[in-house]
Amino acid sequence: MKTAVSIPDDVFKGAERLARRTKKSRSLLFSDALKAYVARHAPDDVTEAMDRVCLEVGQPQDPFVSAAARRVLERSDW
């Protein structure tokens, strides 16, 4: 999907430099950055993934541990 956004000149120039240095297209760079940003701001998705892994390896889900993990993830900068 194509979209247009406005960003500050310094952010654009920094993205251009990074795209060249990493040999990525600007579109891929912005897409990767947005994916990372969305993932970082979706702690429930991380908790759900961890819960699925625990179920797969046979570890019972502990409500206290789940709540504590959620609190830690919400306060963490990723």
Side-chain angles (χ1 to χ4, degrees), residues 2 8-9 15 19-22 24 38 40 44 47 53 58-59 61 63 66-68 71 73 75-76:
K2 288 188 176 209
D9 289 342
R20 280 192 303 272
R21 190 170 66 239
T22 58
K24 288 184 177 183
V38 169
R40 183 178 347 144
D44 288 340
T47 301
V53 169
Q59 298 295 322
Q61 184 174 353
S66 295
R71 284 192 303 273
L73 288 172
R75 290 188 306 236
S76 299

Side-chain angles (χ1 to χ4, degrees), residues 20-40:
R20 280 192 303 272
R21 190 170 66 239
T22 58
K23 295 181 172 58
K24 288 184 177 183
S25 69
R26 221 178 19 238
S27 291
L28 182 57
L29 181 80
F30 284 118
S31 179
D32 288 350
L34 192 51
K35 279 185 217 174
Y37 184 86
V38 169
R40 183 178 347 144

Side-chain angles (χ1 to χ4, degrees), residues 2-8 11-12 30 34:
K2 288 188 176 209
T3 188
V5 296
S6 298
I7 58 174
V11 173
F12 180 81
F30 284 118
L34 192 51

